[in-house]
């Protein structure tokens, strides 16, 4: 299925077979410890389901200094 | 995906305990935990002037907002914000704007202390010199940290502070503990922990870390839902072992949730023994720097030593120059 994804100031379409937020993060090789994720502009837990055309925004939250 | 125990839609699941929280219950629980940290370690007493070090990042913004929320109504407690301006273009100038709007919103007195005004050089100056080949062996984070701690302590003391409050979270603490282990720095390890101890000197203002029991991700979530902090910029000069250790701990945590938590709990439990051992092997004697008069363990302090390396000649100041934010 197709979803829209925003990560590191870049938004793009993505073809995925993952069914949850955690699955998407794994696919993108992003450690869930360092991000917060919102789906269709609502912050959600990592085990939330993803469906066709969802807008998934990944915000990096660990700081560097 | 579970709902919150109150029935509302969950926004967060704390993996190591398996509970899910809605925004409102998460916020309540977060504030309770910070209050518990403050109470358990007696971080704040009566008649205190608390300076909160404010960088504009989420951690220090949350710690200021919470200190104001918890102690703002107490007539015997005064909260002041102090920001250090290291002089890093496109990073600190932006985050300083964030700090100003936060302190205006909260109604907190706010002072800015600049590297350039008080120490003669900004970090950009130092890095530009290094790019030209000078002082190649100086790590930017090392001297930036030394300067920052010096100015924060001194400015706080000059403002009459009884405590300096920082935004260090559980991740920062776990990283620092592991780094000191890896470096074999027993003395520094013994100085860590939730409540300040070991070094007693009237010129050192005791430091408190009310967010120390909260994982970084949860501080970020709290900052997002309370709009206390929404600046996520990173210092352009970061480097060194801390970032390797940070990634390592997060990799382990992702596979084994609760690792950071138990690592820090174990350290806390060992701390009394560590402190005893460190004391037995001799604590450095605290003297006063011959150049600037600030407390240190030697003839001249780290800051004056570094300034000397950087060829800065400064007339000693009676008090620091600070800018009050209007
Ligand atoms: Zn709830
Ligand atoms: Zn000195």
């Amino acid at each position: 299925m197709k979803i829209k994804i925003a990560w590191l100031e870049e938004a793009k379409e993505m073809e995925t077979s993952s069914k949850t937020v955690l699955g998407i993060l794994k696919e993108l090789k992003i450690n869930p410890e360092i991000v917060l994720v919102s789906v269709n502009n609502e912050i959600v837990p990592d085990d939330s389901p993803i469906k066709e055309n969802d807008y998934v925004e990944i915000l990096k939250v660990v700081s560097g200094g | 995906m579970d709902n919150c125990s109150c029935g509302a839609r969950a926004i967060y699941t704390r993996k190591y305990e398996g509970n899910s929280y809605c925004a409102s219950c998460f916020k309540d629980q977060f504030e309770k935990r910070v209050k518990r940290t403050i109470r358990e370690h007696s971080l704040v007493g009566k008649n205190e002037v608390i300076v909160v070090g404010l960088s504009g990042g989420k951690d220090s913004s949350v710690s200021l907002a919470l200190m104001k929320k918890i102690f703002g109504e107490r007539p015997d407690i005064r909260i002041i914000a102090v920001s250090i301006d290291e002089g890093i273009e496109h990073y600190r100038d932006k985050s300083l704007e964030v700090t100003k709007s936060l302190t205006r919103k909260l109604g907190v007195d706010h002072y800015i202390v600049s590297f350039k005004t008080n120490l003669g050089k900004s970090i950009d100056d130092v890095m530009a010199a290094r790019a030209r080949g000078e002082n190649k062996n100086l790590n930017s984070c090392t001297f930036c940290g030394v300067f920052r701690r010096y100015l924060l302590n001194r400015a706080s003391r000059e403002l009459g502070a009884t405590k300096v409050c920082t935004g260090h979270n559980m991740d920062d603490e776990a990283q620092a503990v592991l780094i000191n282990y890896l470096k074999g720095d027993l003395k520094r390890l013994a100085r860590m922990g939730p409540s300040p101890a070991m070094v007693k000197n009237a010129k050192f203002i005791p430091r408190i870390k009310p967010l120390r029991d909260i994982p970084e991700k949860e501080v970020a979530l709290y900052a997002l839902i309370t709009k206390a902090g929404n600046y996520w910029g990173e210092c352009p000069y970061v480097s060194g072992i801390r970032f390797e250790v940070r990634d390592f701990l997060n990799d382990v945590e992702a596979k084994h949730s609760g690792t950071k938590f138990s690592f820090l709990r174990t350290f806390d439990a060992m701390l009394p023994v560590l402190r005893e051992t460190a004391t037995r092997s001799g604590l450095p004697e605290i003297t006063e720097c011959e150049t600037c008069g600030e407390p240190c363990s030697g003839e001249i302090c780290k800051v004056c030593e570094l300034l000397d390396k950087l060829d800065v000649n400064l007339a000693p100041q009676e008090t620091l120059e600070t800018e009050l934010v209007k």
Side-chain angles (χ1 to χ4, degrees), chain A:
Chain A
M1 65 178 178
K2 216 174 245 152
I3 59 165
K4 201 170 174 206
I5 195 134
W7 165 238
L8 300 177
E9 291 166 26
E10 206 190 331
K12 59 175 187 211
E13 300 231 306
M14 180 179 158
E15 185 61 44
T16 182
S17 54
S18 301
K19 291 181 178 61
T20 64
V21 166
L22 204 56
I24 303 274
L25 294 177
K26 264 199 189 125
E27 212 173 309
L28 295 169
K29 299 193 169 56
I30 298 170
N31 188 321
E33 279 303 299
I34 67 164
V35 294
L36 288 170
V37 180
S38 69
V39 174
N40 306 326
N41 298 311
E42 305 250 29
I43 303 169
V44 296
D46 294 347
D47 59 350
S48 296
I50 298 289
K51 55 185 192 323
E52 180 93 43
N53 293 324
D54 272 347
Y55 175 54
V56 180
E57 204 176 351
I58 306 170
L59 179 65
K60 185 162 176 261
V61 295
V62 301
S63 57

Side-chain angles (χ1 to χ4, degrees), chain B residues 3-10 20-26:
Chain B
N3 276 340
C4 178
S5 58
C6 77
R9 186 184 72 83
S20 294
Y21 299 91
C22 70
S24 155
C25 292
F26 173 81

Side-chain angles (χ1 to χ4, degrees), chain B residues 247-266:
Chain B
D247 292 346
F248 166 74
L249 283 170
N250 281 331
D251 285 345
V252 182
E253 181 73 33
K255 287 180 198 126
H256 312 276
S257 53
T259 299
K260 284 186 269 197
F261 182 81
S262 56
F263 177 62
L264 212 51
R265 281 298 88 89
T266 310

